Amino acid sequence: MNIKGHTIQDGVVEGEALVTDMAFSFLGDFDIVTGQVDERHALAGRNIAGKILVFPTGRGSTTGALVGYYARLFNTAPVGMICREAEPVIALNALSNGIPMMDRLEKDPLSVIRTGDLIRLDATRGVITILTTSDKKE
């Protein structure tokens, strides 16, 4: 399945999707040293490192972009991000840290992408492809 959308930061990555219906912030929602999500978030205990993070929108302070920079240095950042609507802080994070990102898809990403799906995020062309689907019911 291919899904078209709006590009925030170009680039092409493939990886496992990690999906949440809760807004995400790089400031406070995960540990930048380990990539593990904080216990107060819906993804508590999961790790965002190397994943394509799928979420409704971002939240938080502009310091989140700096935290995202350090996460890239520690290799604990997601390799890509997909959201319903990118607010300025999460978009800045993608842009300043070179993380391919898309939003405003023609289909709701939270209803068609599941945790564990293998997806290709081609933000350069503005297309997301679900390569394989997960058997997980998360």
Side-chain angles (χ1 to χ4, degrees):
M1 168 189 294
N2 289 328
I3 309 161
K4 294 180 182 176
H6 171 256
T7 296
I8 302 290
Q9 169 64 41
D10 65 352
V12 181
V13 292
E14 286 186 13
E16 182 182 336
L18 182 58
V19 182
T20 180
D21 60 0
M22 187 174 180
F24 189 83
S25 172
F26 274 74
L27 182 62
D29 281 345
F30 81 111
D31 183 321
I32 63 170
V33 176
T34 66
Q36 187 169 328
V37 178
D38 185 82
E39 64 187 24
R40 295 168 290 182
H41 194 277
L43 290 174
R46 304 299 290 267
N47 198 300
I48 66 168
K51 303 285 193 294
I52 297 177
L53 188 59
V54 183
F55 55 106
T57 191
R59 63 178 171 76
S61 128
T62 53
T63 306
L66 179 61
V67 174
Y69 170 76
Y70 285 114
R72 293 279 293 196
L73 291 179
F74 288 124
N75 292 316
T76 59
V79 294
M81 296 188 290
I82 300 167
C83 64
R84 286 180 180 146
E85 184 73 33
E87 47 76 46
V89 173
I90 202 72
L92 175 63
N93 199 315
L95 291 167
S96 62
N97 296 305
I99 301 171
M101 181 177 189
M102 289 177 59
D103 74 347
R104 294 185 267 153
L105 306 180
E106 61 188 0
K107 296 180 183 177
D108 180 2
L110 302 181
S111 66
V112 295
I113 301 172
R114 296 186 308 183
T115 292
D117 288 354
L118 178 62
I119 60 176
R120 183 171 202 257
L121 168 57
D122 185 343
T124 301
R125 290 182 38 236
V127 178
I128 295 163
T129 305
I130 300 174
L131 300 171
T132 60
T133 57
S134 170
D135 293 332
K136 297 176 186 176
K137 302 283 185 198
E138 295 186 40

